[in-house]
Amino acid sequence: MKSEKSPLAFALAFCMFLLSCGTDSRHFRLEGRLMHIGQSEFYIYSPDGMTGKVDTIKVEAGRFAYETPCDHPMTLLIVFPNFTEQPVFAQPGKSVSIRGDASHLKEMQVTGTKDNKLMNAFREQIANASPPDIIKYASQFIEDHPQSIVGTYIVSKYFIQTSQPDHVEASRLIDIMLRHQPDNNYLRRLSTQLQSLKATAPGQQLTASHVPQQSADILKAPVAVISTWATWSPESSMQQRMLKQQRRSAGDRLALLSLNLDGNRTLCDDQVKRDTLSWTNICDPMLFEGKAVQQLGLSTVPDNIVLQHGRVVARSLSTDQLREKIRQLLR
């Protein structure tokens, strides 16, 4: 007996077919499913500034989808509620699929393009490696795949945005990649950022040219912290609340300057008022392209620079490390 499909079943099948074929040539799409999670929200942004905004991904019954305009290959970072970040490498007209378990996010798999498969393999390689081996594997990855934008993320994460940056190795690896990716503007920006990082590395004395004019007084303070935050980053908001507690205890001995990277003045003002962050908070609509952020070599959220009488003593500390460093300097 011949079976017949209902019009609804046919329509659903046709929609699934369209999704399986990807998206149009000027967009990028990702869809995912995570076990052991119901309703939630993830944030997603591009550290290379390609999207120019922070978006929210809604999760229902563990499933989610996201689509964004995409004219050039770019890096996207998904920020999960536990502060874990997952890089996704986008290409025009491509779609990727994310699968994993919310309780084991480090084992998540992103499939659909060569770059994402390369990142999967790198994450598996370093899963149980020691810190020195991770650095060795990171350098080797870039040398083996200098044409991949994955290397841009790796050099930023493991050689630049770390409490113990290696600017010499970062410069070497960026030069290798630029020979194969001469049009990669994010790589060029990282190269420029390295110059700012060298000028604001631990041991360097900051000058008024490094900080916004209205905040020059922090260079005279016994201890000062310059930090980045955004309402979409719970970790950075927690760090701001910790700084508030430390300032309440230290008084004038601790000066603070916070750079908000929401790109939305209302969101910034609302949280400043709600959390009573009573020090200079600058909301920069230029996000990571802003003058202050670039001059200070800050390119992630949260990030921070610790000063003692204007001299840099530490950078890019975790919230716990930052709390301990402040207490140590104020003893």
Side-chain angles (χ1 to χ4, degrees):
M1 183 175 178
K2 186 178 180 180
S3 64
E4 293 184 2
K5 292 183 178 179
S6 70
L8 178 59
F10 178 81
L12 289 173
F14 182 68
C15 288
M16 292 302 294
F17 169 77
L18 289 178
L19 286 173
S20 68
C21 293
T23 184
D24 66 76
S25 62
R26 298 180 66 85
H27 287 79
F28 169 77
R29 178 181 174 83
L30 67 83
E31 61 86 26
R33 183 180 182 184
L34 295 179
M35 297 174 61
H36 301 118
I37 189 172
Q39 292 185 335
S40 186
E41 286 187 351
F42 305 152
Y43 294 103
I44 186 168
Y45 71 100
S46 174
D48 51 22
M50 294 288 283
T51 61
K53 60 180 180 177
V54 178
D55 283 332
T56 302
I57 299 178
K58 301 287 186 181
V59 183
E60 296 285 348
R63 296 179 181 272
F64 55 93
Y66 175 75
E67 185 169 297
T68 185
C70 180
D71 292 322
H72 300 87
M74 65 179 177
T75 302
L76 297 171
L77 286 181
I78 301 175
V79 183
F80 297 105
N82 68 346
F83 313 146
T84 301
E85 288 188 342
Q86 170 67 41
V88 175
F89 302 98
Q91 292 182 22
K94 298 294 185 180
S95 297
V96 301
S97 176
I98 300 176
R99 295 291 184 271
D101 189 320
S103 60
H104 298 88
L105 289 175
K106 290 184 178 180
E107 300 172 9
M108 186 185 310
Q109 294 286 306
V110 183
T111 58
T113 68
K114 180 180 178 181
D115 287 323
N116 287 294
K117 290 179 181 178
L118 284 173
M119 188 66 204
N120 290 339
F122 176 74
R123 291 178 72 190
E124 291 174 3
Q125 183 183 37
I126 68 172
N128 299 307
S130 65
D133 280 343
I134 291 175
I135 297 301
K136 181 180 70 175
Y137 293 147
S139 291
Q140 189 63 54
F141 177 94
I142 294 170
E143 291 171 354
D144 290 344
H145 306 284
Q147 76 290 346
S148 173
I149 63 170
V150 177
T152 308
Y153 169 79
I154 288 176
V155 76
S156 178
K157 179 175 177 61
Y158 295 102
F159 297 96
I160 299 177
Q161 298 303 328
T162 173
S163 58
Q164 294 182 320
D166 187 341
H167 298 152
V168 174
E169 180 68 354
S171 294
R172 184 183 77 85
L173 295 171
I174 288 173
D175 287 343
I176 290 173
M177 287 188 285
L178 278 173
R179 289 198 291 270
H180 292 80
Q181 304 178 57
D183 298 325
N184 188 326
N185 290 329
Y186 186 29
L187 273 177
R188 295 192 176 281
R189 200 180 86 189
L190 283 178
S191 182
T192 301
Q193 182 193 352
L194 277 176
Q195 302 306 313
S196 297
L197 284 168
K198 291 174 183 176
T200 58
Q204 296 296 317
Q205 185 77 34
L206 296 194
T207 67
S209 65
H210 291 108
V211 297
Q213 185 176 359
Q214 66 267 43
S215 306
D217 286 348
I218 67 169
L219 302 178
K220 302 175 184 178
V223 179
V225 177
I226 303 171
S227 61
T228 62
W229 69 280
T231 58
W232 48 264
S233 169
E235 183 182 9
S236 71
S237 295
M238 181 174 66
Q239 194 167 106
Q240 294 301 299
R241 289 191 287 272
M242 181 277 292
L243 289 171
K244 174 185 172 181
Q245 294 172 352
Q246 295 300 310
R247 190 168 187 264
R248 183 180 298 162
S249 300
D252 293 339
R253 293 187 299 155
L254 175 63
L256 302 175
L257 165 63
S258 297
L259 306 174
N260 176 272
L261 298 178
D262 273 301
N264 183 316
R265 184 58 184 259
T266 300
L267 288 175
C268 173
D269 289 346
D270 286 348
Q271 184 147 332
V272 167
K273 183 182 296 184
R274 183 167 59 251
D275 291 347
T276 58
L277 307 180
S278 56
W279 59 87
T280 301
N281 265 274
I282 297 176
C283 180
D284 194 336
M286 295 296 291
L287 303 177
F288 295 106
E289 299 291 336
K291 181 179 178 181
V293 168
Q294 292 200 347
Q295 285 182 326
L296 292 164
L298 299 166
S299 66
T300 189
V301 174
D303 202 359
N304 50 71
I305 299 174
V306 184
L307 307 175
Q308 188 172 35
H309 297 292
R311 186 176 298 279
V312 179
V313 293
R315 287 191 63 118
S316 303
L317 302 180
S318 69
T319 300
D320 288 341
Q321 291 172 332
L322 182 58
R323 180 190 295 109
E324 182 56 33
K325 190 66 177 180
I326 292 171
R327 289 174 176 173
Q328 173 191 340
L329 293 173
L330 289 173
R331 283 174 188 160

